[in-house]
């Protein structure tokens, strides 16, 4: 005999029976295609409304209880959350064996890449083939990527693996400059908002190739950012 469960009761059933079966697999396997999540959502909606027309928008049901929702699960979001949890493990200093494993798929998988402002569409430039760790990086990018809106946010931007700083229409990395501690925008900007020269940066062994690579980097920085940095610093000086 079918029990007349409330929407809240059905939500608990979905979480305890369906979601619990998916969580472990989603945390250790590649993320399924979007069609999979659409099918799961469709099954959950039919169960929730007894195959009838929904009386509330799905987005409302997914709101937390304190906002008059049911905290109904978003399986695609849950999949991303489970993948992002791996990033926390990778950033721990004692996870050298795990980091070594990841670097087989993502050669650049030092801590810096997880700080970079990379868009998910640029993940294929970093990871050449789809696998579990490319899914982890893509999920992290969906969470972490944002457009800097002010001087402080621009100054904290990474120079490498940044989707706003592109060469040949893709984000890039230069180990030579990176190893010279040229890693963030604030590493190359002086107090007046101007870009420092290589001499001001006091780099050892400056040669024509290093000059060329540095100039390519500077040319790749969005002009809008340069304008914001100069304007902000000029306004700050004018106040004094």
């Amino acid at each position: 005999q079918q029990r007349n469960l409330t929407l809240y009761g059905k939500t608990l059933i979905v979480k305890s029976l369906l979601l619990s079966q998916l969580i472990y697999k989603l945390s250790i396997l590649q993320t399924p295609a979007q069609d999979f999540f659409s099918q799961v959502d469709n099954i959950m909606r039919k169960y929730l409304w007894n195959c009838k027309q929904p009386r509330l928008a799905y987005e409302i049901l997914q709101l937390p209880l304190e906002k008059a929702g049911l905290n109904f699960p978003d399986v695609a979001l849950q999949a991303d959350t489970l993948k992002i949890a791996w990033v926390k493990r990778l950033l721990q200093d004692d996870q050298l064996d795990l980091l070594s494993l990841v670097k087989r798929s993502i050669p650049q998988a030092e801590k810096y890449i997880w700080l970079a402002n990379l868009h998910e569409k640029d993940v294929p430039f970093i990871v050449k083939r789809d696998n579990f760790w490319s899914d982890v990086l893509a999920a992290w990018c969906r969470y972490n990527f944002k457009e800097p809106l002010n001087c402080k946010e621009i100054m904290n931007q990474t120079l490498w693996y940044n989707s706003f700083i592109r060469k040949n229409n893709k984000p890039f990395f230069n180990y030579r400059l990176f190893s010279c501690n040229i890693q963030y925008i604030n590493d190359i900007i002086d107090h007046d908002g101007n870009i420092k020269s290589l001499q001001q940066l006091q780099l050892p062994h400056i040669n024509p190739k290093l000059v060329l690579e540095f100039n390519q980097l500077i040319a790749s920085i969005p002009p809008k950012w340069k304008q914001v940095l100069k304007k902000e610093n000029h306004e700050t000086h004018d106040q004094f």
Side-chain angles (χ1 to χ4, degrees), residues 25-88:
K25 294 177 181 178
L26 289 173
S27 68
I28 64 170
L29 299 176
Q30 277 192 260
T31 303
Q34 185 57 44
D35 286 348
F36 169 82
F37 295 111
S38 298
Q39 292 175 20
V40 172
D41 281 346
N42 189 45
I43 291 171
M44 292 192 301
R45 293 186 200 201
K46 286 183 177 180
Y47 171 69
L48 198 63
W49 300 109
N50 296 326
C51 297
K52 297 179 182 178
Q53 184 70 24
R55 288 172 289 178
L56 289 172
Y58 205 44
E59 293 75 14
I60 294 177
L61 298 176
Q62 291 174 334
L63 291 174
L65 296 175
E66 58 269 23
K67 293 187 177 181
L70 289 175
N71 202 21
F72 199 77
D74 182 332
V75 180
L77 181 60
Q78 185 71 46
D80 271 1
T81 302
L82 292 167
K83 292 295 191 298
I84 289 170
W86 284 98
V87 179
K88 182 179 179 180

Side-chain angles (χ1 to χ4, degrees), residues 10 17 27 33 38 48 114 142 146 178:
K10 289 184 176 181
L17 296 182
S27 68
S38 298
L48 198 63
W114 307 107
R142 286 190 286 273
K146 64 176 293 188
F178 179 86

Side-chain angles (χ1 to χ4, degrees), residues 4-226:
N4 294 320
L5 294 173
T6 63
L7 292 179
Y8 181 73
K10 289 184 176 181
T11 299
L12 293 179
I13 294 293
V14 168
K15 289 181 178 179
S16 61
L17 296 182
L18 177 61
L19 197 58
S20 63
Q21 297 294 318
L22 291 174
I23 283 179
Y24 177 69
K25 294 177 181 178
L26 289 173
S27 68
I28 64 170
L29 299 176
Q30 277 192 260
T31 303
Q34 185 57 44
D35 286 348
F36 169 82
F37 295 111
S38 298
Q39 292 175 20
V40 172
D41 281 346
N42 189 45
I43 291 171
M44 292 192 301
R45 293 186 200 201
K46 286 183 177 180
Y47 171 69
L48 198 63
W49 300 109
N50 296 326
C51 297
K52 297 179 182 178
Q53 184 70 24
R55 288 172 289 178
L56 289 172
Y58 205 44
E59 293 75 14
I60 294 177
L61 298 176
Q62 291 174 334
L63 291 174
L65 296 175
E66 58 269 23
K67 293 187 177 181
L70 289 175
N71 202 21
F72 199 77
D74 182 332
V75 180
L77 181 60
Q78 185 71 46
D80 271 1
T81 302
L82 292 167
K83 292 295 191 298
I84 289 170
W86 284 98
V87 179
K88 182 179 179 180
R89 300 185 185 103
L90 289 168
L91 294 177
Q92 294 174 352
D93 292 332
D94 59 348
Q95 296 296 317
L96 296 179
D97 290 341
L98 180 58
L99 187 59
S100 177
L101 175 63
V102 178
K103 289 183 71 173
R104 297 176 186 176
S105 298
I106 309 177
Q108 309 90 337
E110 304 293 346
K111 290 185 178 180
Y112 184 84
I113 197 172
W114 307 107
L115 303 175
N117 198 12
L118 185 70
H119 193 282
E120 64 173 308
K121 71 179 181 181
D122 290 323
V123 168
F125 293 127
I126 309 300
V127 187
K128 298 304 181 184
R129 59 188 181 89
D130 291 337
N131 56 33
F132 175 82
W133 294 111
S134 68
D135 286 348
V136 171
L137 181 56
W140 175 249
C141 291
R142 286 190 286 273
Y143 165 77
N144 185 62
F145 178 80
K146 64 176 293 188
E147 181 178 1
L149 300 176
N150 54 50
C151 181
K152 182 178 179 180
E153 291 180 355
I154 293 173
M155 289 289 279
N156 290 329
Q157 287 290 297
T158 58
L159 288 166
W160 314 110
Y161 304 130
N162 191 318
S163 290
F164 291 101
I165 301 175
R166 310 177 75 86
K167 184 175 73 172
N168 299 326
N169 200 32
K170 60 183 180 180
F172 63 106
F173 178 82
N174 184 294
Y175 180 78
R176 194 191 332 271
L177 293 174
F178 179 86
S179 62
C180 293
N181 291 320
I182 299 177
Q183 301 177 7
Y184 296 87
I185 289 287
N186 59 20
D187 292 332
I188 61 172
I189 300 297
D190 65 19
H191 295 298
D192 294 321
N194 297 311
I195 295 173
K196 296 178 181 178
S197 65
L198 287 174
Q199 288 73 22
Q200 288 175 304
L201 292 169
Q202 299 181 344
L203 300 186
H205 312 301
I206 297 176
N207 55 57
K209 186 173 183 179
L210 190 68
V211 172
L212 175 62
E213 292 171 343
F214 184 72
N215 288 337
Q216 288 175 334
L217 168 64
I218 301 308
S220 302
I221 298 174
K224 181 180 177 181
W225 289 11
K226 298 174 185 176

